[in-house]
Amino acid sequence: MARGSSGPVPDGATLVVADRDVPGSLDALRGQRFDAVVEVARSLPWVREALAVVDAAHRTFVSTVSVYADPATPGQGVDAPLLAPREDGDYGAVKVASEEAVRAAHPDALIVRAGLICGPGDLSDRFGYWPARFARGGRAVIPDAPDQPLQIVDVRDLAAWIVDAGERGLGGTFDASGPRTTLGAVLDAIAAAVGAPDLVPVPVAPAALEAAGVAPWAGPRSLPLWLPATHVGIVARDTAPAAAAGLVCRPVAETARAALAHERALGPDRPRQAGLDPAEEATLVR
């Protein structure tokens, strides 16, 4: 069930078109019982309405690692303190409130606190910036922070695990991302997988990037995946329980190749949501 604005559903699936901001949008599902429901909403009223209307044997709520109150400390698990729940506003706080609503109605639900989701279909332009940039070749500015912690999860691996968990009836709360690694290792893997022969990474110190007005993580004029020390904990979670529960993550190289294909389909010269444009990068190199 969706608005239908993101493209067709897979063969064999039925799309129920609805806008969840419209009262009664879930009525088409009322009175049915499903094997499993996967809820991805970032709206507490949407979550509450679905809990009241849509019946299922198994329930999954896709949350986020942004629910945690301490984004700085690496190695924390799902028992770490959370943000105070909120009805609206802050993304992480709304997800905390939504988790609470799901657990109250379904104590055996699966709560998936997803990390940085990468791979084909990504609309954030974060991870995809690097395969696209390295494939273009030449002198490419990278953050001189090779030891920064980093975790990613390919969207295909996360989706497969969610479906499998529903079939198995898995419950509980998990930080769902890949194994802990470093920014340097991820960028090296991307470069080895898709980098042009003339690619030359140019490390620039974080202080110099900040002085030049380059933002970390995401957004315009940024270097994606780079984080300040105040936020490295969100990409260094304890994901061993998720791995033990069946989450299998493919090599970074496979995600990079799929992300590059997606970037090329979108067009390399389009306006980006994250990264540096060639002129901004050339100025930094000079």
Side-chain angles (χ1 to χ4, degrees), residues 1 4 25 30 37 48-49 71 81 83 86 93 103 154 163 168 170 225 232 234 244 246 251 262 273 286:
M1 196 223 71
S25 62
R30 192 182 296 274
V37 164
R48 285 174 171 160
E49 184 182 19
L83 296 170
R86 290 186 56 176
R103 283 197 204 89
D154 191 295
V163 172
R168 292 187 287 126
L170 178 67
L225 312 188
V232 295
I234 67 173
H262 175 66
Q273 302 298 313
R286 286 195 300 270

CSV table of all heavy atoms in Angstrom, one decimal, residues 1 4 25 30 37 48-49 71 81 83 86 93 103 154 163 168 170 225 232 234 244 246 251 262 273 286:
chain,number,residue,atom,x,y,z
A,1,MET,N,0.8,-1.2,0.0
A,1,MET,CA,0.0,0.0,0.0
A,1,MET,C,0.9,1.2,0.0
A,1,MET,O,1.8,1.4,0.8
A,1,MET,CB,-0.9,0.0,1.2
A,1,MET,CG,-2.1,1.0,1.1
A,1,MET,SD,-2.4,2.0,2.6
A,1,MET,CE,-0.9,3.0,2.6
A,4,GLY,N,2.0,5.2,-4.8
A,4,GLY,CA,2.2,4.8,-6.2
A,4,GLY,C,3.1,5.7,-7.0
A,4,GLY,O,3.2,5.6,-8.2
A,25,SER,N,-7.7,6.2,4.7
A,25,SER,CA,-6.9,5.7,3.6
A,25,SER,C,-6.7,4.2,3.7
A,25,SER,O,-6.4,3.5,2.7
A,25,SER,CB,-5.6,6.5,3.4
A,25,SER,OG,-4.8,6.3,4.6
A,30,ARG,N,-9.0,-3.0,5.8
A,30,ARG,CA,-9.7,-3.4,7.0
A,30,ARG,C,-10.4,-4.7,6.8
A,30,ARG,O,-11.0,-5.0,5.8
A,30,ARG,CB,-10.7,-2.3,7.3
A,30,ARG,CG,-11.4,-2.4,8.7
A,30,ARG,CD,-12.4,-1.3,8.9
A,30,ARG,NE,-11.9,0.0,8.9
A,30,ARG,CZ,-11.4,0.6,10.0
A,30,ARG,NH1,-11.3,0.0,11.1
A,30,ARG,NH2,-10.9,1.8,9.9
A,37,VAL,N,3.2,-7.6,8.2
A,37,VAL,CA,3.1,-6.2,7.8
A,37,VAL,C,4.5,-5.6,8.1
A,37,VAL,O,5.1,-5.9,9.1
A,37,VAL,CB,2.0,-5.5,8.6
A,37,VAL,CG1,2.2,-4.0,8.5
A,37,VAL,CG2,0.6,-5.9,8.1
A,48,ARG,N,-0.1,4.7,14.2
A,48,ARG,CA,-1.2,4.4,15.1
A,48,ARG,C,-2.4,3.9,14.3
A,48,ARG,O,-3.1,2.9,14.7
A,48,ARG,CB,-1.6,5.6,15.9
A,48,ARG,CG,-0.6,5.9,17.0
A,48,ARG,CD,-0.9,7.2,17.7
A,48,ARG,NE,-0.1,7.4,18.9
A,48,ARG,CZ,0.0,8.6,19.5
A,48,ARG,NH1,-0.5,9.7,19.0
A,48,ARG,NH2,0.7,8.7,20.6
A,49,GLU,N,-2.7,4.6,13.1
A,49,GLU,CA,-3.8,4.1,12.3
A,49,GLU,C,-3.6,2.7,11.8
A,49,GLU,O,-4.6,1.9,11.8
A,49,GLU,CB,-4.1,5.1,11.2
A,49,GLU,CG,-5.3,4.8,10.4
A,49,GLU,CD,-5.6,5.7,9.2
A,49,GLU,OE1,-4.7,6.4,8.8
A,49,GLU,OE2,-6.7,5.7,8.7
A,71,PRO,N,24.9,10.1,20.0
A,71,PRO,CA,25.4,9.7,18.7
A,71,PRO,C,26.9,9.6,18.5
A,71,PRO,O,27.4,9.3,17.4
A,71,PRO,CB,24.9,10.8,17.8
A,71,PRO,CG,24.9,12.0,18.7
A,71,PRO,CD,24.6,11.5,20.1
A,81,PRO,N,20.6,4.5,25.7
A,81,PRO,CA,19.5,5.4,26.0
A,81,PRO,C,19.0,6.0,24.7
A,81,PRO,O,19.8,6.2,23.7
A,81,PRO,CB,20.2,6.5,26.8
A,81,PRO,CG,21.4,5.8,27.5
A,81,PRO,CD,21.8,4.8,26.5
A,83,LEU,N,16.4,8.9,22.6
A,83,LEU,CA,15.8,10.2,22.6
A,83,LEU,C,14.4,10.2,23.3
A,83,LEU,O,13.7,9.1,23.3
A,83,LEU,CB,15.6,10.8,21.2
A,83,LEU,CG,16.9,11.1,20.4
A,83,LEU,CD1,16.6,11.4,19.0
A,83,LEU,CD2,17.8,12.1,21.0
A,86,ARG,N,8.6,11.9,20.7
A,86,ARG,CA,7.8,13.1,20.3
A,86,ARG,C,6.8,12.7,19.3
A,86,ARG,O,7.0,11.8,18.5
A,86,ARG,CB,8.8,14.1,19.8
A,86,ARG,CG,9.7,14.8,20.8
A,86,ARG,CD,10.5,15.9,20.2
A,86,ARG,NE,9.6,16.9,19.6
A,86,ARG,CZ,10.0,18.1,19.1
A,86,ARG,NH1,11.3,18.4,19.1
A,86,ARG,NH2,9.2,18.9,18.5
A,93,ALA,N,13.2,11.2,17.3
A,93,ALA,CA,12.3,11.2,18.4
A,93,ALA,C,10.9,10.7,18.0
A,93,ALA,O,10.2,10.0,18.7
A,93,ALA,CB,12.2,12.6,19.0
A,103,ARG,N,5.3,-1.6,19.9
A,103,ARG,CA,5.5,-2.6,21.0
A,103,ARG,C,4.3,-2.7,21.9
A,103,ARG,O,4.0,-3.8,22.4
A,103,ARG,CB,6.7,-2.2,21.8
A,103,ARG,CG,8.0,-2.5,21.2
A,103,ARG,CD,9.2,-2.5,22.2
A,103,ARG,NE,10.4,-2.2,21.5
A,103,ARG,CZ,10.9,-1.0,21.3
A,103,ARG,NH1,10.3,0.1,21.7
A,103,ARG,NH2,12.1,-0.8,20.7
A,154,ASP,N,23.5,-2.7,2.4
A,154,ASP,CA,22.9,-2.7,1.1
A,154,ASP,C,21.4,-2.8,1.2
A,154,ASP,O,20.9,-3.7,1.9
A,154,ASP,CB,23.5,-3.8,0.2
A,154,ASP,CG,23.1,-3.7,-1.3
A,154,ASP,OD1,21.9,-3.8,-1.6
A,154,ASP,OD2,24.0,-3.5,-2.1
A,163,VAL,N,12.1,-9.6,5.0
A,163,VAL,CA,11.2,-10.6,4.5
A,163,VAL,C,11.4,-12.0,5.2
A,163,VAL,O,10.5,-12.6,5.6
A,163,VAL,CB,11.3,-10.7,3.0
A,163,VAL,CG1,10.4,-11.9,2.5
A,163,VAL,CG2,10.9,-9.4,2.3
A,168,ARG,N,10.0,-16.2,9.3
A,168,ARG,CA,10.4,-16.9,10.5
A,168,ARG,C,9.7,-16.5,11.8
A,168,ARG,O,9.9,-17.2,12.8
A,168,ARG,CB,11.9,-16.8,10.7
A,168,ARG,CG,12.7,-17.5,9.6
A,168,ARG,CD,14.2,-17.5,9.9
A,168,ARG,NE,14.8,-16.2,9.8
A,168,ARG,CZ,15.5,-15.6,10.7
A,168,ARG,NH1,15.7,-16.1,11.9
A,168,ARG,NH2,16.1,-14.4,10.5
A,170,LEU,N,10.5,-13.7,13.5
A,170,LEU,CA,11.5,-13.1,14.4
A,170,LEU,C,11.0,-11.9,15.0
A,170,LEU,O,10.4,-11.0,14.4
A,170,LEU,CB,12.7,-12.8,13.5
A,170,LEU,CG,13.9,-12.1,14.3
A,170,LEU,CD1,14.5,-13.1,15.3
A,170,LEU,CD2,15.0,-11.7,13.3
A,225,LEU,N,29.4,10.6,3.9
A,225,LEU,CA,30.0,9.5,4.7
A,225,LEU,C,31.0,10.0,5.7
A,225,LEU,O,31.3,9.3,6.7
A,225,LEU,CB,30.6,8.3,3.9
A,225,LEU,CG,29.7,7.8,2.7
A,225,LEU,CD1,30.4,6.5,2.2
A,225,LEU,CD2,28.3,7.5,3.2
A,232,VAL,N,30.1,9.9,15.2
A,232,VAL,CA,30.6,8.6,14.6
A,232,VAL,C,29.9,7.4,15.2
A,232,VAL,O,29.9,6.3,14.7
A,232,VAL,CB,32.1,8.5,14.8
A,232,VAL,CG1,32.8,9.6,14.0
A,232,VAL,CG2,32.5,8.6,16.2
A,234,ILE,N,26.8,6.7,15.3
A,234,ILE,CA,25.7,6.2,14.5
A,234,ILE,C,26.2,5.3,13.4
A,234,ILE,O,25.3,4.5,12.8
A,234,ILE,CB,24.9,7.4,13.9
A,234,ILE,CG1,25.7,8.1,12.8
A,234,ILE,CG2,24.3,8.3,15.0
A,234,ILE,CD1,24.9,9.2,12.1
A,244,ALA,N,23.8,-12.4,13.8
A,244,ALA,CA,23.5,-13.7,14.4
A,244,ALA,C,22.0,-14.1,14.0
A,244,ALA,O,21.7,-15.3,14.0
A,244,ALA,CB,23.7,-13.7,15.9
A,246,GLY,N,20.6,-13.5,11.2
A,246,GLY,CA,20.5,-13.8,9.8
A,246,GLY,C,20.7,-12.7,8.8
A,246,GLY,O,20.6,-12.9,7.6
A,251,PRO,N,29.7,-7.8,0.0
A,251,PRO,CA,30.9,-6.9,-0.1
A,251,PRO,C,30.5,-5.5,-0.6
A,251,PRO,O,29.6,-5.3,-1.4
A,251,PRO,CB,31.8,-7.6,-1.0
A,251,PRO,CG,31.4,-9.0,-1.0
A,251,PRO,CD,29.9,-9.0,-0.8
A,262,HIS,N,23.0,2.8,-11.0
A,262,HIS,CA,21.9,3.6,-10.6
A,262,HIS,C,22.2,5.1,-10.9
A,262,HIS,O,21.4,5.8,-11.5
A,262,HIS,CB,21.5,3.4,-9.2
A,262,HIS,CG,20.4,4.4,-8.7
A,262,HIS,ND1,19.1,4.3,-9.1
A,262,HIS,CD2,20.5,5.4,-7.7
A,262,HIS,CE1,18.4,5.3,-8.5
A,262,HIS,NE2,19.2,5.9,-7.7
A,273,GLN,N,21.8,15.7,-4.4
A,273,GLN,CA,21.4,16.0,-3.1
A,273,GLN,C,22.6,16.1,-2.1
A,273,GLN,O,22.5,16.6,-1.0
A,273,GLN,CB,20.4,15.0,-2.6
A,273,GLN,CG,19.1,14.8,-3.4
A,273,GLN,CD,18.3,16.1,-3.5
A,273,GLN,OE1,18.1,16.7,-2.4
A,273,GLN,NE2,17.9,16.5,-4.6
A,286,ARG,N,42.9,22.9,-6.1
A,286,ARG,CA,43.8,24.0,-6.3
A,286,ARG,C,44.3,24.6,-5.0
A,286,ARG,O,45.5,25.0,-4.9
A,286,ARG,CB,43.2,25.1,-7.2
A,286,ARG,CG,43.0,24.8,-8.6
A,286,ARG,CD,42.8,26.0,-9.5
A,286,ARG,NE,41.5,26.7,-9.1
A,286,ARG,CZ,40.3,26.4,-9.6
A,286,ARG,NH1,40.2,25.5,-10.5
A,286,ARG,NH2,39.3,27.1,-9.2
